[in-house]
């Protein structure tokens, strides 16, 4: 056999052909190292040694026995092939059966001594072991005890065509290479970073951890191995985040002085009193702006918590310092809405507000709107627009796409940040003068559970608006069973008679309907023809062009329709203060955080508002989940609950960028998340080039992270 290394391709291992290699590749495994870092998702406990004479139904463990007889039987029913054997030890005899493995009779012969692992059952007449794992006694094996029996046996996530037995066999070969795995967490490292209480955590060395994650010696070592590998996973994630964070903070930003008198005057001019949360967060931001390193902050606040005003205070302060701010929104209609509100709030100020979307370029100062007429310059062959005469520029993707330039960019704000990709946010950030990074503020209504704040957003500072303005009516939420549908329709009819409007949200009904055209048109036809033949109904789905989407929403706002049937595209959108009912079809298909977001589209004015969750699912769990939403209004609590029940993917919906997928760490590992975050940050702060820790640096490079070298 050729010698095996960590870097050896799995194709070159014995017993692996092209086909198996292809299947392993589907699991992301191409080298021996990949294999070693592929962890079981559970273990079967076959450690108990069972004597046949003492065996009882329900007992799990391993029996060491000799085969007395073995034969194949083909059942008449469905012609299933059963391999039946009788085995014995010095205390008794036992029946063993395997299904659909006729080749076993060529592998196992009477007289063979084998280990059998599984659960003993009673078939009505005899005790029997059904489809046990089996293996021969092999004194030369690389692993103490068995690979498939007599131990905590690993069970791996598989793909079609691979078997557990195959994977365990490969793993038992791969572990020979474990001594090659380098340890970066040296005693010296632990000593130097001694304030991190390593002792509390009992971290195994990496080699022992890898060996025990696959073939644990006992439960205790397994738990310790899991801890070390969770630590491993979280540490590298945190180190990458810490390096990004550091890289951003080493850039130069314009220091923005706090214009206290003016900002106070502005706050007093508002038609409402700021909430305490708004005050607190605005203060955090204003302090960040004073520094000459860029702010990198994420502002989270439920729908309606008043994020815009907070951003505006920052933008006004920047304008008063002679710098520009830009606010990017995900849709044209939202940008226009921000332009209108902000221009109005600043009408007493000598501050010019610009609007840049694909279809309009405007500017407003002291309530006077004029066409934005920036000089067009030929810039490296590409036409560009340089905006010099606006202090606050509000826009859409057009800001990036149309090669817009600014004169003195000090602050970038991105509204509904999850609607943009990393690249888009970065592109906007890079619009400042050479060598200067603007301050950066992202805003989102999606709640951020603690586990995600500690991992996914670990490179950012977080601010939370955890308070809604006073006097908001809470939205009455009801789960509607199929039988009550007519009642809900009657209620909707009534609301519309009172002059209100209604949203109807439809989930995507099949894979081919990515843009929701089918879902929405089917629902539209039903409502239009059968349920509400007298009402005017509008349609909104992903296939419409942006301008058309805006148009439909504008018409809804202008009361051209009573009902708007839409896909989840309506999640962020224009304010429709007159809408009082949010009706959601197939509610069980959405994450609770997303449902909560939809619900936030109503209840924006003085009318009591309602949210109806329709579901045809008879599943009790579905009901409980939806019922939780109807009982709770706190977006954060809702998100934590849903995260526990359904995991990350569903919480954020499919379009969310950068959600981490843990291999072994869990969302409850707060302590480790905190420990690794502190460690990584301290390490980077002390020595961002990691020169003192070549082991760490090498491993980071292997994991695809780069050190930023000053
Ligand atoms: P969101 O956080 O969802 O972006 P907005 O900034 O759009 O919320 O604010 C929602 C509405 O609440 C706006 O009409 C805004 O003028 C209003 N608002 C903001 N702050 C307050 C406050 N402190 N008191 C009352 N109304 C407020
Ligand atoms: Mg908003």
């Amino acid at each position: 056999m050729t010698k095996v290394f960590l870097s050896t391709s799995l194709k070159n291992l014995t017993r692996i052909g092209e086909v198996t290699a292809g299947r392993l590749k589907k699991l992301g495994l191409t080298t021996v190292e990949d294999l070693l870092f592929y962890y079981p998702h559970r273990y079967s406990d076959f450690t108990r040694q069972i004597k046949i004479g003492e065996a009882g139904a329900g007992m799990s463990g391993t029996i060491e026995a000799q085969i007395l007889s073995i034969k194949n039987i083909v059942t008449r029913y469905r012609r299933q092939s059963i391999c039946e054997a009788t085995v014995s030890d010095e205390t008794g005899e036992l029946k063993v059966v395997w299904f659909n493995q006729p080749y076993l009779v060529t592998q196992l012969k009477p007289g063979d001594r084998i280990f059998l692992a599984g659960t003993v059952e009673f078939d009505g007449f005899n005790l029997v072991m059904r489809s046990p794992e089996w293996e021969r006694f092999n004194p030369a094996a690389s692993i103490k005890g068995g690979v498939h029996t007599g131990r905590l046996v690993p069970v791996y996530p598989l793909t079609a065509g691979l078997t557990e037995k195959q994977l365990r066999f490969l793993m038992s070969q791969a572990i020979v290479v474990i001594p090659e795995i380098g340890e970066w967490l040296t005693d010296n490292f632990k000593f130097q970073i001694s304030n991190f209480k390593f002792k509390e955590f009992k971290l195994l060395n990496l080699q022992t951890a890898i060996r025990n994650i696959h073939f644990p010696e006992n439960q205790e070592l397994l738990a310790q191995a899991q801890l070390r590998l969770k630590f491993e996973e979280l540490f590298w994630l945190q180190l990458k985040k810490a390096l990004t964070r550091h890289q951003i903070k080493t850039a130069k930003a314009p220091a923005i002085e706090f214009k206290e008198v003016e900002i106070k005057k502005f706050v007093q001019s508002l038609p409402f009193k700021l909430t305490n949360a708004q005050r607190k967060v605005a203060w955090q931001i204003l302090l960040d702006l004073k520094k000459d390193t860029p702010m990198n902050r994420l502002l989270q606040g439920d729908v309606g918590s008043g994020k815009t005003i907070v951003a505006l205070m920052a933008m006004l302060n920047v304008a008063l310092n002679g710098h520009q701010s830009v606010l990017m929104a995900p849709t044209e209609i939202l940008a226009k809405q921000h332009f209108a509100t902000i221009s109005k709030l600043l009408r007493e100020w000598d501050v010019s507000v610009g609007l840049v979307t694909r279809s309009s370029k405007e500017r407003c100062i002291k309530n006077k709107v004029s066409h934005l007429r920036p000089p067009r310059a030929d810039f490296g062959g590409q036409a560009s627009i340089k905006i010099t005469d606006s202090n606050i520029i509000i826009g859409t993707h057009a800001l990036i796409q149309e090669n817009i330039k600014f004169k003195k960019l000090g602050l970038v704000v991105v509204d509904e940040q999850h609607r943009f990709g990393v690249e888009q946010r970065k592109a906007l950030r890079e619009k400042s003068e050479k060598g200067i990074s603007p301050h950066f503020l992202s805003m989102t209504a999606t709640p951020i559970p603690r586990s995600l704040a500690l991992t996914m957003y670990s490179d950012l500072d977080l601010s939370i608006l955890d308070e809604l303005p006073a006097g908001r009516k809470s939205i009455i939420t009801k789960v509607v069973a199929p039988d009550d549908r007519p009642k809900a329709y009657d209620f909707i009819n009534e609301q519309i008679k009172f002059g209100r409007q209604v949203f109807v949200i439809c989930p995507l009904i099949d894979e081919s309907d990515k843009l929701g055209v089918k879902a929405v048109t089917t629902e539209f036809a039903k409502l239009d023809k059968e349920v509400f033949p007298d009402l005017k109904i509008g349609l909104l789905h992903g296939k419409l062009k942006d301008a058309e989407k805006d148009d439909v929403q504008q018409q809804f706002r202008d009361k051209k329709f009573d009902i708007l049937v839409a896909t989840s595209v309506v999640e962020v959108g224009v304010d429709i203060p007159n809408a009082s009912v949010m009706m959601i079809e197939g509610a069980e298909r959405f994450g609770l955080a997303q449902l909560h977001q939809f619900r936030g589209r109503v209840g924006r004015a003085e009318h009591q508002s309602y949210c109806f969750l329709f579901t045809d699912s008879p599943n009790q769990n579905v009901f409980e989940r939806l019922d939780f939403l109807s009982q709770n209004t706190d977006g954060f609590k809702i998100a934590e609950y849903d995260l526990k029940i359904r995991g990350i993917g569903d919480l954020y919906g499919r379009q969310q960028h950068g959600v981490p997928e843990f291999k072994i760490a869990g969302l409850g590992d707060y302590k480790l998340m905190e420990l690794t975050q502190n460690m990584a940050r301290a390490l980077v702060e002390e020595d961002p080039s990691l020169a003192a820790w070549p082991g760490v640096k090498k491993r980071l490079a292997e994991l695809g992270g780069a050190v930023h070298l000053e």
Side-chain angles (χ1 to χ4, degrees), residues 271-275 278 301-309 337-338 341 345 415-416 443 445 465 469-470 472 575 604:
F272 45 74
K273 229 174 118 229
L274 289 184
T275 63
Q278 283 172 318
D302 250 14
V303 180
S305 59
K307 296 184 286 291
T308 319
I309 287 293
Q337 189 179 305
H338 281 320
T341 4
L345 289 168
D415 196 15
E416 310 292 355
M443 305 201 287
L465 286 179
R472 290 271 161 86
D575 242 346
R604 303 211 141 205

Short mmCIF file of all heavy atoms in Angstrom, two decimals, residues 271-275 278 301-309 337-338 341 345 415-416 443 445 465 469-470 472 575 604, ligand 1:
data_model
loop_
_atom_site.label_atom_id
_atom_site.label_comp_id
_atom_site.label_asym_id
_atom_site.label_seq_id
_atom_site.Cartn_x
_atom_site.Cartn_y
_atom_site.Cartn_z
N PRO A 271 -41.94 66.36 14.87
CA PRO A 271 -43.34 66.34 15.33
C PRO A 271 -43.58 65.32 16.46
O PRO A 271 -44.70 65.13 16.88
CB PRO A 271 -44.12 65.94 14.07
CG PRO A 271 -43.14 65.23 13.21
CD PRO A 271 -41.80 65.81 13.52
N PHE A 272 -42.55 64.65 16.92
CA PHE A 272 -42.71 63.68 18.01
C PHE A 272 -41.48 63.70 18.89
O PHE A 272 -40.47 64.30 18.53
CB PHE A 272 -42.94 62.27 17.45
CG PHE A 272 -41.98 61.92 16.34
CD1 PHE A 272 -40.66 61.63 16.61
CD2 PHE A 272 -42.42 61.89 15.00
CE1 PHE A 272 -39.78 61.31 15.59
CE2 PHE A 272 -41.54 61.57 13.98
CZ PHE A 272 -40.22 61.28 14.27
N LYS A 273 -41.59 63.05 20.04
CA LYS A 273 -40.44 62.93 20.94
C LYS A 273 -39.68 61.67 20.59
O LYS A 273 -40.29 60.63 20.36
CB LYS A 273 -40.96 62.83 22.38
CG LYS A 273 -40.27 63.78 23.31
CD LYS A 273 -40.89 63.74 24.68
CE LYS A 273 -39.84 63.26 25.66
NZ LYS A 273 -40.15 62.23 26.57
N LEU A 274 -38.36 61.72 20.58
CA LEU A 274 -37.59 60.51 20.30
C LEU A 274 -37.82 59.48 21.41
O LEU A 274 -38.01 59.86 22.57
CB LEU A 274 -36.09 60.83 20.26
CG LEU A 274 -35.56 61.62 19.06
CD1 LEU A 274 -34.04 61.74 19.16
CD2 LEU A 274 -35.96 60.98 17.74
N THR A 275 -37.77 58.22 21.06
CA THR A 275 -37.82 57.21 22.11
C THR A 275 -36.44 57.17 22.79
O THR A 275 -35.45 57.63 22.22
CB THR A 275 -38.11 55.80 21.54
OG1 THR A 275 -37.03 55.44 20.67
CG2 THR A 275 -39.42 55.78 20.77
N GLN A 278 -33.99 55.43 20.62
CA GLN A 278 -33.48 56.28 19.53
C GLN A 278 -32.37 57.22 20.02
O GLN A 278 -31.35 57.40 19.37
CB GLN A 278 -34.62 57.09 18.90
CG GLN A 278 -35.49 56.27 17.95
CD GLN A 278 -36.73 57.04 17.50
OE1 GLN A 278 -37.37 57.72 18.31
NE2 GLN A 278 -37.06 56.93 16.22
N GLY A 301 -33.72 47.33 14.20
CA GLY A 301 -34.91 47.79 14.91
C GLY A 301 -36.12 47.27 14.17
O GLY A 301 -36.15 47.30 12.94
N ASP A 302 -37.09 46.79 14.92
CA ASP A 302 -38.32 46.28 14.32
C ASP A 302 -38.90 47.29 13.34
O ASP A 302 -38.63 48.49 13.45
CB ASP A 302 -39.34 46.04 15.44
CG ASP A 302 -39.59 44.56 15.66
OD1 ASP A 302 -38.80 43.76 15.15
OD2 ASP A 302 -40.56 44.23 16.34
N VAL A 303 -39.72 46.79 12.43
CA VAL A 303 -40.44 47.67 11.53
C VAL A 303 -41.16 48.73 12.35
O VAL A 303 -41.83 48.39 13.33
CB VAL A 303 -41.48 46.86 10.73
CG1 VAL A 303 -42.23 47.76 9.79
CG2 VAL A 303 -40.80 45.73 9.98
N GLY A 304 -40.98 50.00 11.99
CA GLY A 304 -41.69 51.06 12.69
C GLY A 304 -40.98 51.60 13.92
O GLY A 304 -41.50 52.46 14.60
N SER A 305 -39.78 51.10 14.21
CA SER A 305 -39.08 51.56 15.41
C SER A 305 -38.42 52.92 15.19
O SER A 305 -37.91 53.51 16.14
CB SER A 305 -38.07 50.52 15.87
OG SER A 305 -37.13 50.28 14.85
N GLY A 306 -38.40 53.39 13.97
CA GLY A 306 -37.88 54.74 13.71
C GLY A 306 -36.40 54.79 13.40
O GLY A 306 -35.67 55.65 13.91
N LYS A 307 -35.95 53.91 12.53
CA LYS A 307 -34.53 53.89 12.17
C LYS A 307 -34.16 55.10 11.31
O LYS A 307 -33.05 55.63 11.42
CB LYS A 307 -34.19 52.59 11.42
CG LYS A 307 -34.37 51.34 12.28
CD LYS A 307 -33.96 50.08 11.55
CE LYS A 307 -34.92 49.64 10.49
NZ LYS A 307 -36.21 49.14 11.01
N THR A 308 -35.11 55.51 10.46
CA THR A 308 -34.79 56.58 9.51
C THR A 308 -34.34 57.86 10.22
O THR A 308 -33.38 58.50 9.81
CB THR A 308 -36.01 56.89 8.62
OG1 THR A 308 -36.62 55.66 8.26
CG2 THR A 308 -35.60 57.64 7.39
N ILE A 309 -35.06 58.22 11.28
CA ILE A 309 -34.72 59.45 12.00
C ILE A 309 -33.31 59.36 12.58
O ILE A 309 -32.55 60.33 12.55
CB ILE A 309 -35.72 59.69 13.15
CG1 ILE A 309 -37.05 60.15 12.59
CG2 ILE A 309 -35.20 60.69 14.15
CD1 ILE A 309 -36.99 61.50 11.95
N GLN A 337 -39.67 57.67 -1.15
CA GLN A 337 -40.34 57.95 0.10
C GLN A 337 -39.38 58.60 1.10
O GLN A 337 -39.70 59.58 1.75
CB GLN A 337 -40.88 56.64 0.66
CG GLN A 337 -41.79 56.81 1.85
CD GLN A 337 -42.29 55.44 2.32
OE1 GLN A 337 -42.86 54.69 1.54
NE2 GLN A 337 -42.05 55.14 3.57
N HIS A 338 -38.16 58.05 1.18
CA HIS A 338 -37.15 58.66 2.06
C HIS A 338 -36.83 60.09 1.61
O HIS A 338 -36.69 60.99 2.43
CB HIS A 338 -35.84 57.86 2.01
CG HIS A 338 -35.86 56.60 2.84
ND1 HIS A 338 -36.44 56.54 4.08
CD2 HIS A 338 -35.32 55.38 2.62
CE1 HIS A 338 -36.27 55.31 4.58
NE2 HIS A 338 -35.60 54.59 3.71
N THR A 341 -39.76 62.37 2.78
CA THR A 341 -39.80 62.62 4.23
C THR A 341 -38.60 63.44 4.68
O THR A 341 -38.75 64.37 5.48
CB THR A 341 -39.74 61.31 5.07
OG1 THR A 341 -39.58 60.21 4.22
CG2 THR A 341 -40.92 61.14 5.96
N LEU A 345 -38.46 67.12 6.47
CA LEU A 345 -37.93 67.34 7.82
C LEU A 345 -36.79 68.35 7.83
O LEU A 345 -36.52 68.98 8.84
CB LEU A 345 -37.46 66.01 8.43
CG LEU A 345 -38.57 65.03 8.82
CD1 LEU A 345 -37.99 63.66 9.13
CD2 LEU A 345 -39.35 65.56 10.03
N ASP A 415 -30.07 51.01 3.81
CA ASP A 415 -31.34 50.65 4.45
C ASP A 415 -31.72 49.24 4.02
O ASP A 415 -31.50 48.86 2.87
CB ASP A 415 -32.43 51.64 4.03
CG ASP A 415 -33.66 51.56 4.94
OD1 ASP A 415 -33.55 50.97 6.03
OD2 ASP A 415 -34.71 52.10 4.55
N GLU A 416 -32.31 48.45 4.91
CA GLU A 416 -32.70 47.06 4.61
C GLU A 416 -31.50 46.32 4.04
O GLU A 416 -31.54 45.77 2.94
CB GLU A 416 -33.87 47.01 3.63
CG GLU A 416 -35.05 47.89 3.97
CD GLU A 416 -35.82 47.43 5.21
OE1 GLU A 416 -35.49 46.36 5.75
OE2 GLU A 416 -36.72 48.17 5.65
N MET A 443 -28.74 49.19 8.11
CA MET A 443 -29.96 49.12 8.92
C MET A 443 -30.77 47.90 8.50
O MET A 443 -30.83 47.55 7.33
CB MET A 443 -30.80 50.38 8.72
CG MET A 443 -29.99 51.65 9.01
SD MET A 443 -31.01 53.08 9.37
CE MET A 443 -31.67 53.46 7.78
N ALA A 445 -34.45 45.38 9.70
CA ALA A 445 -35.55 45.10 10.62
C ALA A 445 -35.49 43.65 11.08
O ALA A 445 -36.22 43.25 11.96
CB ALA A 445 -36.88 45.39 9.95
N LEU A 465 -32.62 49.10 18.34
CA LEU A 465 -33.76 49.92 18.76
C LEU A 465 -34.80 48.96 19.32
O LEU A 465 -35.53 48.33 18.57
CB LEU A 465 -34.36 50.68 17.57
CG LEU A 465 -33.58 51.87 17.03
CD1 LEU A 465 -34.31 52.48 15.85
CD2 LEU A 465 -33.36 52.91 18.11
N PRO A 469 -42.15 53.58 19.19
CA PRO A 469 -42.71 54.85 19.65
C PRO A 469 -44.01 54.61 20.40
O PRO A 469 -44.75 53.68 20.08
CB PRO A 469 -42.96 55.61 18.35
CG PRO A 469 -42.00 55.04 17.37
CD PRO A 469 -41.83 53.60 17.76
N ALA A 470 -44.26 55.46 21.37
CA ALA A 470 -45.45 55.28 22.21
C ALA A 470 -46.72 55.39 21.39
O ALA A 470 -46.74 56.03 20.34
CB ALA A 470 -45.44 56.33 23.32
N ARG A 472 -48.42 53.18 19.70
CA ARG A 472 -48.71 52.27 18.58
C ARG A 472 -49.69 51.20 19.04
O ARG A 472 -49.50 50.58 20.07
CB ARG A 472 -47.42 51.59 18.11
CG ARG A 472 -46.46 52.49 17.41
CD ARG A 472 -46.72 52.55 15.91
NE ARG A 472 -46.09 53.74 15.35
CZ ARG A 472 -44.82 53.77 14.95
NH1 ARG A 472 -44.11 52.70 15.00
NH2 ARG A 472 -44.31 54.88 14.47
N ASP A 575 -44.84 52.60 2.46
CA ASP A 575 -45.81 52.72 3.53
C ASP A 575 -47.22 52.84 2.96
O ASP A 575 -47.47 53.67 2.11
CB ASP A 575 -45.51 54.04 4.27
CG ASP A 575 -45.15 53.79 5.70
OD1 ASP A 575 -45.39 52.67 6.17
OD2 ASP A 575 -44.62 54.71 6.33
N ARG A 604 -49.75 51.00 10.55
CA ARG A 604 -48.86 52.15 10.46
C ARG A 604 -49.58 53.46 10.75
O ARG A 604 -48.95 54.50 10.81
CB ARG A 604 -48.22 52.20 9.07
CG ARG A 604 -47.48 50.92 8.77
CD ARG A 604 -46.33 51.18 7.88
NE ARG A 604 -45.21 50.37 8.28
CZ ARG A 604 -43.96 50.69 8.04
NH1 ARG A 604 -43.66 51.79 7.42
NH2 ARG A 604 -43.00 49.90 8.43
P1 LIG B 1 -38.36 51.86 10.38
O1 LIG B 1 -37.52 51.60 11.57
O2 LIG B 1 -39.30 50.74 10.08
O3 LIG B 1 -37.54 52.27 9.18
P2 LIG B 1 -39.35 54.51 10.17
O4 LIG B 1 -38.07 55.20 10.38
O5 LIG B 1 -39.88 54.45 8.78
O6 LIG B 1 -39.30 53.06 10.78
O7 LIG B 1 -40.43 55.15 11.13
C1 LIG B 1 -41.78 54.73 11.11
C2 LIG B 1 -42.71 55.87 11.40
O8 LIG B 1 -42.60 56.26 12.75
C3 LIG B 1 -42.40 57.11 10.59
O9 LIG B 1 -43.61 57.66 10.16
C4 LIG B 1 -41.69 58.02 11.58
O10 LIG B 1 -41.88 59.39 11.30
C5 LIG B 1 -42.35 57.65 12.87
N1 LIG B 1 -41.51 57.85 14.06
C6 LIG B 1 -40.18 57.69 14.16
N2 LIG B 1 -39.75 57.91 15.42
C7 LIG B 1 -40.86 58.23 16.14
C8 LIG B 1 -41.08 58.56 17.52
N3 LIG B 1 -40.07 58.63 18.40
N4 LIG B 1 -42.35 58.82 17.89
C9 LIG B 1 -43.37 58.74 17.02
N5 LIG B 1 -43.23 58.45 15.72
C10 LIG B 1 -41.98 58.18 15.27
#
